[in-house]
Each structure stands twice: as structure tokens, then as C-alpha cells.
Amino acid sequence: MPRNLPRIVMKFGGTSVADLGRIRKVAYTIKKQVEAGCEVTVVVSAMSGVTNQLVGYCEALNPLFDRSEYDSIVSTGEQVTSGLLAIALQTIGVPSRSWSGWQIPLLTDSVYSNARIKKIDALKIIECMQSGIVPVIAGFQGIDETGKVTTLGRGGSDTSAVAIAASIKAIRCDIYTDVDGIYTTDPRIVNKAKHIKSIAYEEMLELASGGAKVLQTRSVELAMKEKVRVQVLSSFKEDQAPMENALPGSLVVSEEEIVEKEQVTGIAYSMNEAKVIIKGLPDQPGIAASIFRPLAEENVNVDMIAQSGATDQITNMTFTVPKTDLKRTQQILEQNKQTIGFTQVLTDNEVVKISVVGIGMRSHTGVANTMFKTLADRSINIQAISTSEIKVSVLIASEYMELAMRALHTAYGLDYT
Ligand code: ASP
Ligand code: MG
């Protein structure tokens, strides 16, 4: 007779399982959740530092390594943790077993090192839970149709956890990490950053793609699509099983669940972009297409774009690309110099993108203006701007990052008092 207990996914990141002591502590946290009357499925990351070490091995042998072999190597980190945690649970009297991605199976496409989940067959995991055994799943990994092991991109165990929560119909996906939730901005930069009780999927998505590192961007996309309620909480602080009516962490939920819709909910920064300026372009129709088509064809992700006003039919174009794609971008532009017809390409790595995000922007005006004025008052020059319905981003010199973040945090009334 199947029981009818609330199901919860508990995911533990690298620092939460960094050594055997931490793994024992995590086992107790899981035991408390089971004793509180829940059916629990656990998802784990590799012990912190392990994935980096494995990636390093691949790069040292051959920088142009075979990506499917890379996947079979880097996926082992999670496999170790899942087995260790299963033993730690058994040791304190909680029946448990480990699961690799292929054993479930968690089926993905064949984009090795950055695969996407196609389908999860949750049957065996549900049976495992219902027979009173806690499944501990190795995150970050899956299997493709040809039977090869795949991985989901760095930080991908968040995505595993959310996908599994959706497939077993969990009431919540708890992501345990080394911070106690989501903050209005990075507390290491702005010490007046505030803990956020709840945040909308859309906001978290903009913050994550704007550079906030708490959750992998793809995991938020998936949570939004599948309506999985996600809680971010600390594995270092929490000793009690969180109760639905008093959750200690930050909740990522749908907009309807958010009571207070602030103008600005959070501020993120990203140092991962580089600026490209193309000078001496003919000011004529089709010029943007001639630049961005070849970049798109080579999968270079262009983010912010600004075109300066033309003088004498000559104009300049500024845009940003991921720092890791800068060399390739320069190469592609050089190859297309004839068709585009520019005189010079300049690049700058010393830039930061700062984004302010809030669903309240839909109904409040003047949010962008506050940003521009705050930066102007501190003589910080804006090099490019981009916006969405709930976000304004600016590109500035990286030396002003801290000054700008603190000033904006105060200007939007986010400071902790
Ligand atoms: N261990 C993998 C990484 O370091 C996946 C994860 O931790 O989410 O990227
Ligand atoms: Mg992570």
C-alpha cells in the first residue's frame, strides 16, 4: 500500500559535502527531514574542488580534449559523493542507496559537457522512496541515446535537482549551500545587502544571467517552466527540518506568491563580459546585420549593443561578448572586414555589467533614470545599456564596480537598516 507523504528533493552543493565531517552532518539533516514525515530524494554535487581538478586533468592532457571522454571523467565526482552519503545515511540508521544518472535513467541530448535533459523516468526513484529507502542521486550527469555518459554544464547539479523534483512531483526542491539564501546583492561587496524571503522566477532568472551565482541559470529556467518551488538555504546553519509554514531560506516561486513587489528586488554584476568597439563603419542599412550575422553563425553570444550617432556617414558600434569568446570574435570580425567595411576594432576587458532587476518595474516608471542619475552623480561613465521588461543593465569600467553597486543599493532603498 503506497504511503502518501509529502515529497521533497534535498540538494547539497560542493561545500556542503566538502569532507567526511560535512557529509556526516548532511546525513543528519536528511534524517531529520525523513523523521518529520517526508519522502526524500537527495541530489549531490561533487566534493568542492573535485570537478575543477578533473577538468584540469583533461586540459593538461590535451586542451582540445574529446568532450564525451571529458564527461565520463568529470561525472565521477558526483558518483563518489552519492556513494559516500548513502553509506553515511546507512550508518545512522537511514536506509539509502546511490543512483548514477544512467541508472535512473536521466536521458539527455548528446551535447557533451553541456547537455540538456530530455526525459527522466522517475519510476525507480519513486519505488525506492516508497520502499523506505532514501535515493541519493549523483547530480550533473545523465546518459544520451547512444548510451554515453553526459554532463549538464558547470553548476549543473542544481538543474538535476529541479528536474528530478518536477519528475517525482515534489512539493519543494531545497537547495542547500554555503549561504543562507538569496540576497539583494552580493554581501561580500555590499555589506548592507538584505536577505530576500521570496523572489519570482523571472527575477531570479535575470539575476542569475546577470551574474548572481547562487543558482545555475538553467535550473531557474526549468523551475519556472515546471513550476517547481525552490528554496535556497544553508547546510551550515540549519539543524531542523524546515517546516512549510516557517521556511528559513529564500523561496523562488511564481509571481502570484510574492506579496510585496518592489521596484528593484536585486542587483547583480558580471565581470564575464568584454567590450568590442568597431570604428569607422559606413552608416547604412544592413550594417548591424553584417556584423552580428557572422557572430551568430559561430555561436558567439552578443549581449549589450550600443551604436553611436553618425557623423559624415561614419558610425561606431559597441557591444559585449563573453570574455572567453573575445579572441574568436576578433578573428571573425577580421575575416569579415571586407564585407563589413570598418577601419578598426578596439577591445576592453576592464568592464563590468551591472543589472538592477525587479518585477515592480512593470508598474513603476523612473527606475532606469534613478540608475543613470546615481552613476552620473559619482561621475561614472555608462558605456552601453540594455533593458528588458524587468531589468536595466549598464556597462561601466570595472574599477567602479564596488562604488556603483553600493550607491545603487542605497538609491533603490535596499540597504539593511
Ligand atoms: N560538480 C559540478 C561543478 O562543479 C556540478 C555542480 O556542482 O553543480 O560544476
Ligand atoms: Mg552550484
Side-chain angles (χ1 to χ4, degrees):
M1 183 64 188
R3 299 168 300 174
N4 217 348
L5 299 175
R7 281 187 194 143
I8 290 185
V9 167
M10 300 173 80
K11 184 253 162 176
F12 296 91
T15 49
S16 304
V17 291
D19 54 43
L20 296 183
R22 301 279 332 150
I23 290 178
R24 279 192 202 102
K25 166 117 192 336
V26 160
Y28 277 106
T29 307
I30 296 167
K31 185 176 188 177
K32 291 224 172 90
Q33 190 73 69
V34 172
E35 284 170 350
C38 292
E39 261 174 17
V40 173
T41 286
V42 178
V43 176
V44 289
S45 287
M47 296 162 85
S48 67
V50 168
T51 311
N52 284 345
Q53 189 185 32
L54 296 169
V55 172
Y57 288 157
C58 299
E59 284 169 345
L61 277 179
N62 182 349
L64 297 172
F65 49 75
D66 173 347
R67 296 202 171 255
S68 93
E69 292 309 333
Y70 163 97
D71 279 354
S72 92
I73 295 159
V74 299
S75 61
T76 58
E78 273 69 12
Q79 203 169 322
V80 171
T81 324
S82 64
L84 290 174
L85 185 52
I87 292 178
L89 282 164
Q90 292 165 2
T91 309
I92 56 171
V94 181
S96 174
R97 79 155 267 196
S98 65
W99 291 84
S100 303
W102 65 269
Q103 292 175 317
I104 298 175
L106 185 150
L107 192 71
T108 73
D109 64 19
S110 299
V111 182
Y112 303 110
S113 81
N114 203 15
R116 276 184 184 267
I117 301 175
K118 286 172 90 173
K119 198 174 141 236
I120 299 178
D121 185 352
L123 199 69
K124 288 189 214 150
I125 295 300
I126 292 173
E127 275 172 9
C128 183
M129 276 191 296
Q130 290 190 331
S131 63
I133 297 168
V134 173
V136 183
I137 299 175
F140 181 50
Q141 56 171 272
I143 185 169
D144 72 359
E145 253 143 19
T146 74
K148 282 187 172 171
V149 171
T150 55
T151 64
L152 308 178
R154 296 305 306 269
S157 55
D158 291 339
T159 304
S160 310
V162 170
I164 286 158
S167 74
I168 66 168
K169 302 197 168 44
I171 58 163
R172 217 172 57 233
C173 179
D174 283 347
I175 308 262
Y176 285 84
T177 177
D178 52 1
V179 291
D180 62 357
I182 297 156
Y183 280 74
T184 47
T185 193
D186 187 340
R188 285 166 303 186
I189 291 165
V190 181
N191 61 11
K192 289 179 177 159
K194 269 191 303 204
H195 185 264
I196 297 176
K197 271 312 309 164
S198 55
I199 184 167
Y201 294 123
E202 289 89 339
E203 293 174 317
M204 195 60 233
L205 196 56
E206 292 280 17
L207 287 172
S209 48
K213 290 189 188 72
V214 221
L215 293 170
Q216 198 204 29
T217 307
R218 264 195 202 172
S219 72
V220 186
E221 251 165 35
L222 190 64
M224 179 156 103
K225 183 165 154 258
E226 300 285 342
K227 297 206 167 22
V228 175
R229 302 171 78 244
V230 173
Q231 178 184 209
V232 177
L233 71 173
S234 166
S235 69
F236 290 74
K237 263 175 92 176
E238 265 34 272
D239 283 322
Q240 299 304 317
M243 289 296 135
E244 188 56 41
N245 56 1
L247 297 174
S250 300
L251 273 184
V252 190
V253 289
S254 63
E255 208 177 313
E256 299 80 66
E257 275 198 59
I258 313 273
V259 195
E260 269 185 69
K261 299 194 171 92
E262 307 286 349
Q263 262 192 65
V264 168
T265 304
I267 306 178
Y269 75 98
S270 167
M271 298 278 221
N272 293 333
E273 296 191 29
K275 183 176 75 165
V276 180
I277 307 174
I278 308 187
K279 298 194 101 167
L281 289 162
D283 186 32
Q284 64 195 32
I287 194 68
S290 74
I291 295 170
F292 297 119
R293 186 184 32 79
L295 293 175
E297 279 169 5
E298 297 290 331
N299 290 315
V300 174
N301 209 342
V302 174
D303 183 15
M304 311 176 88
I305 302 178
Q307 186 176 353
S308 59
T311 43
D312 299 328
Q313 272 95 62
I314 296 294
T315 183
N316 301 328
M317 189 83 80
T318 300
F319 58 91
T320 63
V321 294
K323 270 187 185 156
T324 48
D325 284 339
L326 184 58
K327 281 264 159 334
R328 232 152 46 85
T329 302
Q330 285 172 288
Q331 215 175 32
I332 297 165
L333 292 172
E334 274 315 314
Q335 283 161 1
N336 290 276
K337 190 168 180 180
Q338 288 298 323
T339 23
I340 305 171
F342 56 86
T343 53
Q344 200 185 9
V345 175
L346 302 174
T347 62
D348 183 359
N349 259 309
E350 306 295 305
V351 288
V352 60
K353 178 176 78 169
I354 297 186
S355 306
V356 300
V357 172
I359 44 178
M361 274 183 215
R362 292 199 192 116
S363 48
H364 292 84
T365 54
V367 175
N369 195 45
T370 303
M371 188 170 201
F372 305 152
K373 180 163 187 321
T374 306
L375 297 175
D377 287 347
R378 282 158 190 82
S379 307
I380 299 173
N381 188 37
I382 299 173
Q383 307 179 10
I385 301 170
S386 68
T387 64
S388 80
E389 205 190 3
I390 62 161
K391 177 201 76 176
V392 186
S393 303
V394 293
L395 191 74
I396 61 171
S398 53
E399 60 184 306
Y400 299 121
M401 187 268 278
E402 299 195 357
L403 175 64
M405 296 274 285
R406 290 189 193 124
L408 290 169
H409 200 264
T410 305
Y412 289 112
L414 296 175
D415 286 355
Y416 184 85
T417 46

